[in-house]
Amino acid sequence: MNEPIKKIAVLTSGGDAPGMNAAIRAVVRACTYYRIECIGVYRGYQGLIEGDFESLSARHVSNIINKGGTILKTARSLEFKTKEGREKAYKNLKKAGVGAIVVIGGDGTFTGGLKFIKEFNFPLVGIPCTIDNDIYGTDNTIGYDTALNTVVEVIDKIRDTASSHNRLFFIEVMGRDAGFIALNTGIGAGAEEILIPEKNLGLDRLVESLNKSRERGKTSSIVVVSEGDKIGKNVFELADYINENFPDYDIRVSVLGHMQRGGSPSCFDRVLASRLGVAAVEELLDKSTGIMVGFTNKKISKVHLDKAIKMNNDINKELLKVAEIISV
Amino acid sequence: MNEPIKKIAVLTSGGDAPGMNAAIRAVVRACTYYRIECIGVYRGYQGLIEGDFESLSARHVSNIINKGGTILKTARSLEFKTKEGREKAYKNLKKAGVGAIVVIGGDGTFTGGLKFIKEFNFPLVGIPCTIDNDIYGTDNTIGYDTALNTVVEVIDKIRDTASSHNRLFFIEVMGRDAGFIALNTGIGAGAEEILIPEKNLGLDRLVESLNKSRERGKTSSIVVVSEGDKIGKNVFELADYINENFPDYDIRVSVLGHMQRGGSPSCFDRVLASRLGVAAVEELLDKSTGIMVGFTNKKISKVHLDKAIKMNNDINKELLKVAEIISV
Amino acid sequence: MNEPIKKIAVLTSGGDAPGMNAAIRAVVRACTYYRIECIGVYRGYQGLIEGDFESLSARHVSNIINKGGTILKTARSLEFKTKEGREKAYKNLKKAGVGAIVVIGGDGTFTGGLKFIKEFNFPLVGIPCTIDNDIYGTDNTIGYDTALNTVVEVIDKIRDTASSHNRLFFIEVMGRDAGFIALNTGIGAGAEEILIPEKNLGLDRLVESLNKSRERGKTSSIVVVSEGDKIGKNVFELADYINENFPDYDIRVSVLGHMQRGGSPSCFDRVLASRLGVAAVEELLDKSTGIMVGFTNKKISKVHLDKAIKMNNDINKELLKVAEIISV
Amino acid sequence: MNEPIKKIAVLTSGGDAPGMNAAIRAVVRACTYYRIECIGVYRGYQGLIEGDFESLSARHVSNIINKGGTILKTARSLEFKTKEGREKAYKNLKKAGVGAIVVIGGDGTFTGGLKFIKEFNFPLVGIPCTIDNDIYGTDNTIGYDTALNTVVEVIDKIRDTASSHNRLFFIEVMGRDAGFIALNTGIGAGAEEILIPEKNLGLDRLVESLNKSRERGKTSSIVVVSEGDKIGKNVFELADYINENFPDYDIRVSVLGHMQRGGSPSCFDRVLASRLGVAAVEELLDKSTGIMVGFTNKKISKVHLDKAIKMNNDINKELLKVAEIISV
């Protein structure tokens, strides 16, 4: 890799998140700024294997900063998990004269990228973009802030009807392994109880807490449940269990689902995506590889991809306590 | 009822809808304007039975026009379905000096109201307020327009992720007996297929339609399903059935649920609620009873409550055809 | 015009409005449905003169139903006001084999269209699309409903700060010759006073009304002013005048401006645009010309273009009274 | 101050910001949690002087976390700038048995608070709440994140109409002494040029930049201008100047104004307000005074009030460069 990079490829992979387009736009425009060509790869690693490439100019990415989804589409590629698949991808990149690649996504995206680097020593930098905020080495992943706003806006609506009817609502939000969305939106939406994987309070505690709420005269309640909550029941079973214990309660369940991934990105996510897109290109031009660019303590940061994947962000204890204090 | 009315009561009943607060506000302010007292009744007919009343001034209803839900709360009252219950309600109204009542709600609300009028000859006027738009005698029920906007905003978000992933989404929207929400939001959100009770196209037609979409190269699709669709399957069974026929499709289901009832009302619903609230009070002062005020052909209209309940709004054939043409 | 139409052109002209894209989409898809070609004309009548045409397929208009603005762009063409300009336009249409045209816009658009029809007997149908709702022959113009929602959402925000500070706000909204936006958003946002061209209450009445508000203890107020209000002063002069009379008031002015034209269309506007786009194509195929399609009393309607332009929609007296009653 | 605190007062002062209510709620609930009484003070320091107090329970602050504005209202008090005013305030606090106070606001609020502490040694802790983000000692002030989202949503709408018409828009946003809002929303909304106090690029540079845009074929442009921009002209004069240099441009101006202060707070601002409200109470119970609680590097932080006021947050150079790169 001693000759200067003339072309940089960019792809989005894994679950989509708001801000992916803003990140693509920043990568393309940084390439334009530094006078190198930018190649868009469609459908993530699968498009790499199939050679589904398109040269992208600053014009191609006009008016996409505010759009949800990804103009490059995303997919989960089984073929890229095989040696043969990755070889095809490498050949396509070389054939197209691509000297480095930016991969935008989360855990799975970076795992695939790491393998690719190890096998072919191909310069690759990752940009963390997932609504779950479960990547180590950045204070925020792109998309997380937007998802939080989407969820609290929906819960605000559900609270209108919950409090008009004196109802108890169980609301399931995304976050398979981490309860960041549940904890923050639970606090933000003023939920009476929050159930997250990191803090198994058990069903007894939930029953106790609902009893207390009732004693204090609270006639409607919102319980936010992380989809990965380890209480051993899904949200419908949970509702059934509570219903047995509180037969007089009018209980409803709402699973927010995929709407959490869509929508126009928040200003924060647009700016974050713009910064990280520029930083990723600059890192590649500086001969970096195998890293993820992130945003830590209000500055651009970088971390090795394997660290980004393997280490965990811990749930903040102070925030857990705030949740408890604030729901009195 | 020869003596002039000095107090008018107001209540909200049944499922809540955006604009209930705007309607309450209009009733209260019309009372103030015409120099009569307004009595708020909490929790619908149940509060009537329990005498859960509060005198409302113009100040009480400041800054509520933009709020979802209902400050008077709503409930479904089993007791009001009994003669004894209704007698208690009547006595409470007489004791409080109330001369007439405005009931804000839908079908069930008006059915209860009709019984009450027949038994006690108590002046009562209804205001149609339900997201389902299934009341005869008004072009729009209060809350319907807002619910349409809520639904298309959510489907817009889901489409972001659907088209990024080439997925097929089944989205269930409210509307137990009528497909108005599904048909309008299906068109408004650009859905590829719309399933409503009024137009049973059968599973074969759906499969055929999805096949056609695929042939035309559509790689992601949105199917909007009315919860009352008569296809004989709920939305999850439907998705399973399609999955068997299209094993290569990545199919997801989203049930929008109660968020459709909440949220800040649209300008249209706020203005409609303001008009109907004023009209209801004026009708009572004009000695009307047993009617519902509505909005027909851009004018205030009125219809007998039994007609409002028993007759149906038909799904517009022109609109069904537009749905077909537009989804090519 | 005895041979069947094989190509239909479509353009947007004048001030843009939310729903223009939804209307374009419907025209294109109706053409596809009826197996005729659709030609998009860029920048309104100016593009007609310059031959700035592009053939549009159903694919071109995917995912635009929810976008503000117009993918065909719009402009005001001085050249089309000349005979020479219109001749060029006609020649371009003939050369391209276009047999009829759909023009999407308001007053000015239809005036230009009428001249064109008279000179060249070229089949033309209009679709009313302007936020002002000032076109005769349709209950709603496309874009009006969305603009109402945009305005009330902004006034809701301003009210937050107005009531936190006990301030008096003058808010200028669009509507040069008609006060529809001001009247409806004034009611919808709970404004204390509404100033519209149709109802010159004079400055004395405004001072009197503000005095009354103060007596009733209202410490913050919102006055919605239509930009075309005939009170003889612009909104800043108005604020100055009131300031002289109420030196202790903390008065602020906000001119909402062009944001009122943008934004994702409401469900109502998307459905209306879909219906009118289909209807316009069907009318042309039925040999209609010189008409505007509209929506009246929940049905598709049509009106001659000269009537659409010359006649006025009157401000509803009942609505004026509601505004008065509701602001007590 | 050796006896334990039994009552804590809370007030909001200065310009209002989204999240003030969430902060009040957190202070009240933290007091409840720690079993002390919370006293709400109306209209900031003026209410302190007038003894306009109310005891607040957890119930009083139900359902306000999502509301813009402040239930305690805010004001700028001239009287509190006098020794006599502050003495009255002190006496009122002592009379009411208040042992400490939380002041929620910005620069001016803290300046007043500092004087009060120095004169009366009264325990006081500040919470930074202003949309301008111009307080030292916290990564974010409460309200800033929401204001950013409000602004980009509005610019997104203006861009719809700007690009439909090929127009040049000057959009003035808040930020008297600091360009944080302009810089971040300019990047977030994809503005072609951003004018902020910290970076005087001069009119020549702006003309040059617009010339370049034109050469690249950009036909519409958004220029975001901070109200405190030091270019020596207000936004209207600026537009006039550009108009002289580009007579063929269709130039419009939009001053966003007070809407930027209102609206439902973002999830981030709600959570931040909840954390800082709890932290402020805990600090007072720990005998802290004269400090502001903040949020730095994802942790609760504290800083002396005089430092919070006197020191500046610098505009990030990396961000300035991103703005330049991204607008190519």
Side-chain angles (χ1 to χ4, degrees), chain D residues 100-124:
Chain D
I101 187 163
V102 177
V103 298
I104 302 170
D107 243 40
T109 308
F110 298 161
T111 305
L114 259 180
K115 272 202 189 130
F116 192 66
I117 295 171
K118 281 172 191 161
E119 285 169 1
F120 303 103
N121 194 25
F122 195 86
L124 178 150

PDB file of all heavy atoms in Angstrom, chain D residues 100-124:
ATOM      1  N   ALA D 100     -32.079  26.327  51.006  1.00  0.00           N
ATOM      2  CA  ALA D 100     -31.193  26.334  49.833  1.00  0.00           C
ATOM      3  C   ALA D 100     -32.035  26.538  48.589  1.00  0.00           C
ATOM      4  O   ALA D 100     -33.251  26.344  48.614  1.00  0.00           O
ATOM      5  CB  ALA D 100     -30.425  25.017  49.735  1.00  0.00           C
ATOM      6  N   ILE D 101     -31.353  26.925  47.506  1.00  0.00           N
ATOM      7  CA  ILE D 101     -32.115  27.197  46.288  1.00  0.00           C
ATOM      8  C   ILE D 101     -31.413  26.665  45.045  1.00  0.00           C
ATOM      9  O   ILE D 101     -30.181  26.670  44.976  1.00  0.00           O
ATOM     10  CB  ILE D 101     -32.401  28.717  46.146  1.00  0.00           C
ATOM     11  CG1 ILE D 101     -33.354  28.982  44.975  1.00  0.00           C
ATOM     12  CG2 ILE D 101     -31.105  29.513  45.965  1.00  0.00           C
ATOM     13  CD1 ILE D 101     -33.986  30.364  45.019  1.00  0.00           C
ATOM     14  N   VAL D 102     -32.218  26.174  44.105  1.00  0.00           N
ATOM     15  CA  VAL D 102     -31.721  25.762  42.796  1.00  0.00           C
ATOM     16  C   VAL D 102     -32.195  26.795  41.773  1.00  0.00           C
ATOM     17  O   VAL D 102     -33.396  27.065  41.684  1.00  0.00           O
ATOM     18  CB  VAL D 102     -32.269  24.372  42.404  1.00  0.00           C
ATOM     19  CG1 VAL D 102     -31.788  23.995  40.999  1.00  0.00           C
ATOM     20  CG2 VAL D 102     -31.859  23.313  43.407  1.00  0.00           C
ATOM     21  N   VAL D 103     -31.254  27.390  41.037  1.00  0.00           N
ATOM     22  CA  VAL D 103     -31.649  28.343  39.985  1.00  0.00           C
ATOM     23  C   VAL D 103     -31.351  27.738  38.618  1.00  0.00           C
ATOM     24  O   VAL D 103     -30.258  27.260  38.348  1.00  0.00           O
ATOM     25  CB  VAL D 103     -30.942  29.713  40.141  1.00  0.00           C
ATOM     26  CG1 VAL D 103     -31.326  30.355  41.473  1.00  0.00           C
ATOM     27  CG2 VAL D 103     -29.429  29.595  40.032  1.00  0.00           C
ATOM     28  N   ILE D 104     -32.380  27.751  37.768  1.00  0.00           N
ATOM     29  CA  ILE D 104     -32.296  27.137  36.447  1.00  0.00           C
ATOM     30  C   ILE D 104     -32.276  28.243  35.400  1.00  0.00           C
ATOM     31  O   ILE D 104     -33.217  29.024  35.314  1.00  0.00           O
ATOM     32  CB  ILE D 104     -33.506  26.204  36.209  1.00  0.00           C
ATOM     33  CG1 ILE D 104     -33.572  25.128  37.301  1.00  0.00           C
ATOM     34  CG2 ILE D 104     -33.452  25.585  34.822  1.00  0.00           C
ATOM     35  CD1 ILE D 104     -34.865  24.311  37.304  1.00  0.00           C
ATOM     36  N   GLY D 105     -31.193  28.351  34.641  1.00  0.00           N
ATOM     37  CA  GLY D 105     -31.128  29.400  33.625  1.00  0.00           C
ATOM     38  C   GLY D 105     -29.748  29.487  33.022  1.00  0.00           C
ATOM     39  O   GLY D 105     -29.035  28.478  32.946  1.00  0.00           O
ATOM     40  N   GLY D 106     -29.368  30.691  32.595  1.00  0.00           N
ATOM     41  CA  GLY D 106     -28.075  30.861  31.937  1.00  0.00           C
ATOM     42  C   GLY D 106     -27.214  31.907  32.633  1.00  0.00           C
ATOM     43  O   GLY D 106     -27.315  32.107  33.842  1.00  0.00           O
ATOM     44  N   ASP D 107     -26.387  32.520  31.849  1.00  0.00           N
ATOM     45  CA  ASP D 107     -25.484  33.582  32.277  1.00  0.00           C
ATOM     46  C   ASP D 107     -26.037  34.564  33.310  1.00  0.00           C
ATOM     47  O   ASP D 107     -25.503  34.713  34.406  1.00  0.00           O
ATOM     48  CB  ASP D 107     -25.183  34.424  31.031  1.00  0.00           C
ATOM     49  CG  ASP D 107     -23.733  34.357  30.682  1.00  0.00           C
ATOM     50  OD1 ASP D 107     -23.163  33.257  30.806  1.00  0.00           O
ATOM     51  OD2 ASP D 107     -23.179  35.410  30.306  1.00  0.00           O
ATOM     52  N   GLY D 108     -27.098  35.246  32.921  1.00  0.00           N
ATOM     53  CA  GLY D 108     -27.675  36.277  33.769  1.00  0.00           C
ATOM     54  C   GLY D 108     -28.187  35.699  35.080  1.00  0.00           C
ATOM     55  O   GLY D 108     -28.036  36.301  36.154  1.00  0.00           O
ATOM     56  N   THR D 109     -28.770  34.537  34.993  1.00  0.00           N
ATOM     57  CA  THR D 109     -29.291  33.855  36.177  1.00  0.00           C
ATOM     58  C   THR D 109     -28.171  33.577  37.178  1.00  0.00           C
ATOM     59  O   THR D 109     -28.319  33.785  38.382  1.00  0.00           O
ATOM     60  CB  THR D 109     -29.931  32.514  35.745  1.00  0.00           C
ATOM     61  OG1 THR D 109     -30.861  32.775  34.708  1.00  0.00           O
ATOM     62  CG2 THR D 109     -30.612  31.828  36.910  1.00  0.00           C
ATOM     63  N   PHE D 110     -27.045  33.111  36.649  1.00  0.00           N
ATOM     64  CA  PHE D 110     -25.930  32.751  37.526  1.00  0.00           C
ATOM     65  C   PHE D 110     -25.255  34.002  38.087  1.00  0.00           C
ATOM     66  O   PHE D 110     -24.790  34.012  39.234  1.00  0.00           O
ATOM     67  CB  PHE D 110     -24.916  31.887  36.776  1.00  0.00           C
ATOM     68  CG  PHE D 110     -25.484  30.576  36.297  1.00  0.00           C
ATOM     69  CD1 PHE D 110     -24.855  29.850  35.294  1.00  0.00           C
ATOM     70  CD2 PHE D 110     -26.660  30.052  36.845  1.00  0.00           C
ATOM     71  CE1 PHE D 110     -25.371  28.645  34.855  1.00  0.00           C
ATOM     72  CE2 PHE D 110     -27.185  28.837  36.400  1.00  0.00           C
ATOM     73  CZ  PHE D 110     -26.540  28.136  35.401  1.00  0.00           C
ATOM     74  N   THR D 111     -25.194  35.060  37.297  1.00  0.00           N
ATOM     75  CA  THR D 111     -24.612  36.317  37.770  1.00  0.00           C
ATOM     76  C   THR D 111     -25.403  36.832  38.973  1.00  0.00           C
ATOM     77  O   THR D 111     -24.839  37.206  40.008  1.00  0.00           O
ATOM     78  CB  THR D 111     -24.632  37.370  36.638  1.00  0.00           C
ATOM     79  OG1 THR D 111     -23.977  36.820  35.495  1.00  0.00           O
ATOM     80  CG2 THR D 111     -23.925  38.642  37.060  1.00  0.00           C
ATOM     81  N   GLY D 112     -26.724  36.835  38.830  1.00  0.00           N
ATOM     82  CA  GLY D 112     -27.584  37.235  39.947  1.00  0.00           C
ATOM     83  C   GLY D 112     -27.399  36.318  41.147  1.00  0.00           C
ATOM     84  O   GLY D 112     -27.308  36.768  42.293  1.00  0.00           O
ATOM     85  N   GLY D 113     -27.302  35.038  40.880  1.00  0.00           N
ATOM     86  CA  GLY D 113     -27.151  34.065  41.952  1.00  0.00           C
ATOM     87  C   GLY D 113     -25.857  34.268  42.723  1.00  0.00           C
ATOM     88  O   GLY D 113     -25.824  34.185  43.966  1.00  0.00           O
ATOM     89  N   LEU D 114     -24.789  34.566  41.979  1.00  0.00           N
ATOM     90  CA  LEU D 114     -23.478  34.765  42.613  1.00  0.00           C
ATOM     91  C   LEU D 114     -23.506  35.933  43.603  1.00  0.00           C
ATOM     92  O   LEU D 114     -22.980  35.838  44.723  1.00  0.00           O
ATOM     93  CB  LEU D 114     -22.427  35.057  41.535  1.00  0.00           C
ATOM     94  CG  LEU D 114     -21.523  33.892  41.143  1.00  0.00           C
ATOM     95  CD1 LEU D 114     -20.548  34.353  40.078  1.00  0.00           C
ATOM     96  CD2 LEU D 114     -20.780  33.350  42.366  1.00  0.00           C
ATOM     97  N   LYS D 115     -24.100  37.033  43.155  1.00  0.00           N
ATOM     98  CA  LYS D 115     -24.221  38.207  44.028  1.00  0.00           C
ATOM     99  C   LYS D 115     -24.964  37.838  45.298  1.00  0.00           C
ATOM    100  O   LYS D 115     -24.611  38.231  46.402  1.00  0.00           O
ATOM    101  CB  LYS D 115     -24.998  39.310  43.300  1.00  0.00           C
ATOM    102  CG  LYS D 115     -24.106  40.207  42.466  1.00  0.00           C
ATOM    103  CD  LYS D 115     -24.769  41.543  42.225  1.00  0.00           C
ATOM    104  CE  LYS D 115     -23.948  42.347  41.210  1.00  0.00           C
ATOM    105  NZ  LYS D 115     -24.770  42.872  40.141  1.00  0.00           N
ATOM    106  N   PHE D 116     -26.049  37.086  45.117  1.00  0.00           N
ATOM    107  CA  PHE D 116     -26.907  36.699  46.231  1.00  0.00           C
ATOM    108  C   PHE D 116     -26.132  35.852  47.242  1.00  0.00           C
ATOM    109  O   PHE D 116     -26.226  36.055  48.459  1.00  0.00           O
ATOM    110  CB  PHE D 116     -28.104  35.923  45.672  1.00  0.00           C
ATOM    111  CG  PHE D 116     -29.199  35.708  46.657  1.00  0.00           C
ATOM    112  CD1 PHE D 116     -29.938  36.782  47.153  1.00  0.00           C
ATOM    113  CD2 PHE D 116     -29.529  34.433  47.106  1.00  0.00           C
ATOM    114  CE1 PHE D 116     -30.970  36.589  48.057  1.00  0.00           C
ATOM    115  CE2 PHE D 116     -30.553  34.231  48.004  1.00  0.00           C
ATOM    116  CZ  PHE D 116     -31.273  35.309  48.483  1.00  0.00           C
ATOM    117  N   ILE D 117     -25.336  34.922  46.747  1.00  0.00           N
ATOM    118  CA  ILE D 117     -24.522  34.077  47.616  1.00  0.00           C
ATOM    119  C   ILE D 117     -23.531  34.930  48.401  1.00  0.00           C
ATOM    120  O   ILE D 117     -23.359  34.770  49.613  1.00  0.00           O
ATOM    121  CB  ILE D 117     -23.728  33.041  46.784  1.00  0.00           C
ATOM    122  CG1 ILE D 117     -24.674  32.061  46.097  1.00  0.00           C
ATOM    123  CG2 ILE D 117     -22.739  32.289  47.660  1.00  0.00           C
ATOM    124  CD1 ILE D 117     -23.978  31.158  45.089  1.00  0.00           C
ATOM    125  N   LYS D 118     -22.876  35.831  47.702  1.00  0.00           N
ATOM    126  CA  LYS D 118     -21.831  36.629  48.352  1.00  0.00           C
ATOM    127  C   LYS D 118     -22.399  37.485  49.457  1.00  0.00           C
ATOM    128  O   LYS D 118     -21.793  37.666  50.516  1.00  0.00           O
ATOM    129  CB  LYS D 118     -21.099  37.486  47.306  1.00  0.00           C
ATOM    130  CG  LYS D 118     -20.073  36.650  46.545  1.00  0.00           C
ATOM    131  CD  LYS D 118     -19.450  37.383  45.378  1.00  0.00           C
ATOM    132  CE  LYS D 118     -18.658  36.393  44.516  1.00  0.00           C
ATOM    133  NZ  LYS D 118     -18.413  36.905  43.168  1.00  0.00           N
ATOM    134  N   GLU D 119     -23.573  38.041  49.215  1.00  0.00           N
ATOM    135  CA  GLU D 119     -24.162  38.930  50.209  1.00  0.00           C
ATOM    136  C   GLU D 119     -24.762  38.200  51.400  1.00  0.00           C
ATOM    137  O   GLU D 119     -24.683  38.648  52.535  1.00  0.00           O
ATOM    138  CB  GLU D 119     -25.250  39.797  49.549  1.00  0.00           C
ATOM    139  CG  GLU D 119     -24.673  40.902  48.684  1.00  0.00           C
ATOM    140  CD  GLU D 119     -25.726  41.569  47.846  1.00  0.00           C
ATOM    141  OE1 GLU D 119     -26.910  41.179  47.955  1.00  0.00           O
ATOM    142  OE2 GLU D 119     -25.381  42.467  47.068  1.00  0.00           O
ATOM    143  N   PHE D 120     -25.405  37.073  51.122  1.00  0.00           N
ATOM    144  CA  PHE D 120     -26.182  36.438  52.195  1.00  0.00           C
ATOM    145  C   PHE D 120     -25.714  35.037  52.547  1.00  0.00           C
ATOM    146  O   PHE D 120     -26.317  34.382  53.398  1.00  0.00           O
ATOM    147  CB  PHE D 120     -27.665  36.400  51.793  1.00  0.00           C
ATOM    148  CG  PHE D 120     -28.219  37.747  51.479  1.00  0.00           C
ATOM    149  CD1 PHE D 120     -28.421  38.149  50.172  1.00  0.00           C
ATOM    150  CD2 PHE D 120     -28.498  38.641  52.518  1.00  0.00           C
ATOM    151  CE1 PHE D 120     -28.910  39.405  49.890  1.00  0.00           C
ATOM    152  CE2 PHE D 120     -28.992  39.910  52.222  1.00  0.00           C
ATOM    153  CZ  PHE D 120     -29.201  40.294  50.917  1.00  0.00           C
ATOM    154  N   ASN D 121     -24.648  34.608  51.891  1.00  0.00           N
ATOM    155  CA  ASN D 121     -24.135  33.263  52.160  1.00  0.00           C
ATOM    156  C   ASN D 121     -25.251  32.219  52.115  1.00  0.00           C
ATOM    157  O   ASN D 121     -25.310  31.307  52.943  1.00  0.00           O
ATOM    158  CB  ASN D 121     -23.417  33.243  53.516  1.00  0.00           C
ATOM    159  CG  ASN D 121     -22.596  31.977  53.683  1.00  0.00           C
ATOM    160  OD1 ASN D 121     -22.179  31.369  52.695  1.00  0.00           O
ATOM    161  ND2 ASN D 121     -22.402  31.574  54.921  1.00  0.00           N
ATOM    162  N   PHE D 122     -26.147  32.399  51.160  1.00  0.00           N
ATOM    163  CA  PHE D 122     -27.275  31.479  51.052  1.00  0.00           C
ATOM    164  C   PHE D 122     -26.930  30.360  50.060  1.00  0.00           C
ATOM    165  O   PHE D 122     -26.545  30.619  48.926  1.00  0.00           O
ATOM    166  CB  PHE D 122     -28.518  32.245  50.557  1.00  0.00           C
ATOM    167  CG  PHE D 122     -29.788  31.476  50.748  1.00  0.00           C
ATOM    168  CD1 PHE D 122     -30.482  31.535  51.948  1.00  0.00           C
ATOM    169  CD2 PHE D 122     -30.295  30.679  49.730  1.00  0.00           C
ATOM    170  CE1 PHE D 122     -31.664  30.826  52.137  1.00  0.00           C
ATOM    171  CE2 PHE D 122     -31.468  29.948  49.911  1.00  0.00           C
ATOM    172  CZ  PHE D 122     -32.150  30.031  51.110  1.00  0.00           C
ATOM    173  N   PRO D 123     -27.079  29.084  50.487  1.00  0.00           N
ATOM    174  CA  PRO D 123     -26.710  27.962  49.607  1.00  0.00           C
ATOM    175  C   PRO D 123     -27.484  27.988  48.290  1.00  0.00           C
ATOM    176  O   PRO D 123     -28.724  28.012  48.305  1.00  0.00           O
ATOM    177  CB  PRO D 123     -27.066  26.725  50.423  1.00  0.00           C
ATOM    178  CG  PRO D 123     -27.051  27.190  51.847  1.00  0.00           C
ATOM    179  CD  PRO D 123     -27.526  28.611  51.818  1.00  0.00           C
ATOM    180  N   LEU D 124     -26.766  27.972  47.195  1.00  0.00           N
ATOM    181  CA  LEU D 124     -27.381  28.075  45.867  1.00  0.00           C
ATOM    182  C   LEU D 124     -26.585  27.247  44.863  1.00  0.00           C
ATOM    183  O   LEU D 124     -25.362  27.299  44.835  1.00  0.00           O
ATOM    184  CB  LEU D 124     -27.404  29.552  45.442  1.00  0.00           C
ATOM    185  CG  LEU D 124     -27.961  29.937  44.077  1.00  0.00           C
ATOM    186  CD1 LEU D 124     -28.567  31.343  44.140  1.00  0.00           C
ATOM    187  CD2 LEU D 124     -26.922  29.865  42.980  1.00  0.00           C
TER     188      LEU D 124
END
